[in-house]
Amino acid sequence: MTTRAIAVRYGDPSAVELQTIPDAAPGEGRVAIAVRAAGVNPSDAKGIAGAWGRDETKLPLPIGSEVAGVVTELGPGVTDVAIGDEVIAFRVRGGFADRVVTAAANVFAKPPALSFEEASGLLLVGATAWHLLDATGVAAGDCVLVHGASGSVGRVATQLAIVRGATVVGTASERNADAVRALGAAWVPYGDGLAARVRAIWPDGADVALDTVGTDEAVDTSVELVADRGRIATISAFRRGGEAGIRLLGGGPGADPGSAVRAAARQPLVDLAGAGRLRVPVARTFPLTEAAAAIELASSGHPGGKIVIVP
Ligand SMILES: NC(=O)c1ccc[n+]([C@@H]2O[C@H](COP(=O)([O-])OP(=O)(O)OC[C@H]3O[C@@H](n4cnc5c(N)ncnc54)[C@H](OP(=O)(O)O)[C@@H]3O)[C@@H](O)[C@H]2O)c1
């Protein structure tokens, strides 16, 4: 039997309950994974809230897009994954569970250097950050402003930009200043006067701005500091960003989902993390029985790192 967390209605995380269902056998090209850890993202709360529709026929709603675990069963036609492999899987459906079935094409070998907890939170934020850099063409020598450099997407975007040879200024709250500096970026606090604080470091402004926060301040400051609006991207400020004519990325209205870019980014992200060049630190773990609390903290705006469910 599989135990999983599901949302029984659209609304806040109090809609999350545990459910036990018979194990589904993996079909053609699919594998079953014993989940050791599942990454929690703000999008999990958004899905429960109905941000992508409130189709009552989809209830109960499986939750959780990424896991790390051990392969336990292979469906017909699977040749490149073996039973017992320690793996990362993204994107999956219903990852907040002790067992998940997914396409073998979404499964990657877990580098031994990563714990299951670390591995489970790597790919959703990693692929998003990769898309941000790709869409804005971040290259060696660029001055890149990252809004929310202490967040999970922001931390990866900062590290990837530095790997590409860019220089990064990252915004964050004061309590996360050292975390941003530890990535190799300069830290500035967000809030009134942000543009002036960035200009104190870069008098000519920035070449690129990446917004992972979604505030008007992040969009407006980016537009003030970056001359080319094609080199400003947001994953959250779809209305303000659309008005400003900057790049909108992900699942929001009018945004570029970047499905191919994100899918292709998964293996290089796993390789970078395995080589110790990319870290997605875990702030806190929760048991599956506390999935609602995990989702609440992950969507608080200040989780301080990845939130992970350990079933
Ligand atoms: N479109 C897509 O494809 C896509 C994909 C993934 C995520 N997202 C969205 O992107 C956002 C970030 O995701 P995440 O996982 O990185 O979240 P996260 O880990 O919670 O990071 C949030 C970041 O925002 C900062 N922040 C919070 N309030 C702020 C404010 N008022 N002004 C400036 N910065 C503020 C936080 O800084 P401090 O904690 O230091 O205060 C932190 O750096 C979420 O809204 C998520 O849903 C979109």
Side-chain angles (χ1 to χ4, degrees):
M1 300 292 278
T2 298
T3 302
R4 62 179 191 167
I6 39 110
V8 295
R9 59 180 179 277
Y10 292 104
D12 64 29
S14 68
V16 175
E17 294 181 3
L18 286 192
Q19 182 190 49
T20 302
I21 54 169
D23 287 349
E28 177 83 28
R30 296 171 72 79
V31 303
I33 297 168
V35 177
R36 295 286 181 80
V40 189
N41 291 280
S43 55
D44 298 313
K46 291 179 184 179
I48 297 168
W52 295 288
R54 282 176 168 253
D55 182 349
E56 298 285 327
T57 65
K58 289 191 175 159
L59 296 175
L61 203 64
I63 325 161
S65 306
E66 53 180 346
V67 301
V70 179
V71 175
T72 56
E73 284 167 75
L74 306 179
V78 175
T79 52
D80 46 358
V81 181
I83 290 174
D85 282 359
E86 297 189 349
V87 295
I88 307 174
F90 171 70
R91 179 173 284 268
V92 305
R93 189 170 150 75
F96 296 172
D98 55 11
R99 177 180 182 275
V100 74
V101 175
T102 192
N106 295 330
V107 171
F108 302 84
K110 181 183 80 65
L114 296 187
S115 67
F116 284 106
E117 288 84 351
E118 289 168 322
S120 72
L122 171 67
L123 287 183
L124 190 149
V125 296
T128 306
W130 192 285
H131 190 198
L132 277 165
L133 268 75
D134 197 82
T136 53
V138 172
D142 279 338
C143 295
V144 179
L145 173 61
V146 176
H147 297 279
S150 56
S152 289
V153 177
R155 285 185 206 228
V156 180
T158 299
Q159 292 171 83
L160 293 177
I162 290 170
V163 164
R164 287 192 186 195
T167 305
V168 176
V169 169
T171 75
S173 56
E174 185 161 12
R175 72 178 172 286
N176 288 321
D178 286 344
V180 172
R181 292 193 189 106
L183 301 172
W187 165 74
V188 291
Y190 51 75
D192 285 350
L194 173 58
R197 287 191 291 281
V198 178
R199 278 205 194 278
I201 300 170
W202 291 327
D204 297 331
D207 300 301
V208 173
L210 308 177
D211 168 34
T212 75
V213 176
T215 53
D216 289 354
E217 174 187 85
V219 174
D220 296 350
T221 305
S222 300
V223 167
E224 189 178 334
L225 293 173
V226 177
D228 179 355
R229 295 197 185 190
R231 302 199 79 196
I232 306 172
T234 183
I235 56 169
S236 290
F238 297 110
R239 188 190 53 78
R240 188 79 155 203
E243 289 163 5
I246 65 174
R247 293 186 186 278
L248 314 178
L249 309 181
D256 169 14
S259 308
V261 172
R262 293 181 187 215
R266 294 175 297 177
Q267 187 62 60
L269 286 162
V270 171
D271 293 343
L272 279 170
R277 301 179 72 196
L278 177 60
R279 288 201 57 235
V280 183
V282 175
R284 192 168 159 191
T285 62
F286 288 83
L288 189 57
T289 49
E290 294 175 23
I295 295 165
E296 192 98 53
L297 180 57
S299 60
S300 66
H302 310 278
K306 281 308 301 178
I307 304 304
V308 171
I309 289 176
V310 178

